[in-house]
Amino acid sequence: MKLNKLQTLLFALALLLLPLLLQSFGNAWVRIADMALLYVMLALGLNIVVGYAGLLDLGYVAFFAVGAYLYGLLSSPHLIDTFPAIAAMFPDGMHMSLLLIVPLAALLAGVAGVLLGAPTLKLRGDYLAIVTLGFGEIIRVFMNNLDHPVNITNGPKGIDQIDAIHLFGLNFGKKLELFGFEIASVTLYFYLFLALVIGVVVISHRIENSRIGRAWMAIREDEIAAKAMGINTRNMKLLAFGMGASFGGISGSMFAGFQGFISPESFSLLESVMIVAMVVLGGIGHLPGVILGAVLLSALPEVLRYVAGPLQAMTDGRLDASILRQLLTALAMIVVMLMRPRGLWPTSEHGKSLQHVK
């Protein structure tokens, strides 16, 4: 479905006004929208690996963690308090520019993605999923234990006092007064994350229609046939892992600046499973579907807080609200996948060849 210019303009205007509208109901609603945008970035990055190249990656949250810890280490007092040599180099504290951190996060996460992809080139299906799952857990365990003998990540205590995001003299951690109208900090973050999401969508769309994108989709449909046609499947797989991971690194760096605190608990296996579920639920390989799946699965648990509370009261408190919220989310996912097995908004091309196989 293509939008004409008027529809595109109205949609863009609605996105710009959305945080201002939500702000009137409370900053908590804008914060939910901010986190939804971060998960959209993560889902779009994973869509390159799973949706385009057909490689099941259950350890994608590791790249999210790499970007977050890079931002946390370069924008907090932790390294200065731990290493006197670094404190001597930065007497005024480490307050790295965002314009430096974001490319570094993308590069470091991309390298980690290639390192993950290299040993898994000959693996497919369940075996690939198990190896990538292990990689994600290895990164989380490393972050949890690198507090001795040298304290690098501060272990399970996490890293706090992380600088808010600063860009072109604008502090996103403080509210902004503009023409007598107050714009909350969470609203400023919304516009920043929205700009990044638009950039990721444009890059993903251009890649999808390029020679690289077509090569990935050929590998997804039939790797042996793709190799027989002269496609270098090894390099294409590594490129998919690296490029998808770089988007995860950027999203992780934004998450650290937004939260101001990170710990290994934020990068559990459940997060990886949820990101995969966003891609599958929305529609594998279809950008609008992936965005829809990410928004629904990231915002739905938060919205269900307002449903779980009354249901808990009806049972005289016998059901825990958080468990009930997870149950409702899982039931919603089951119903959707039973009724729409190819996702809420699938692409018309993906899987078309399978429709004729009975």
Side-chain angles (χ1 to χ4, degrees), residues 123-137:
L123 299 177
R124 299 177 190 171
D126 300 338
Y127 299 100
L128 177 61
I130 292 171
V131 171
T132 54
L133 184 153
F135 180 83
E137 283 298 286

Side-chain angles (χ1 to χ4, degrees), residues 83-104:
F83 302 99
I86 296 179
M89 294 172 60
F90 299 94
D92 298 326
M94 291 187 71
H95 306 285
M96 294 293 180
S97 169
L98 184 70
L99 298 178
L100 174 64
I101 292 178
V102 168
L104 279 177

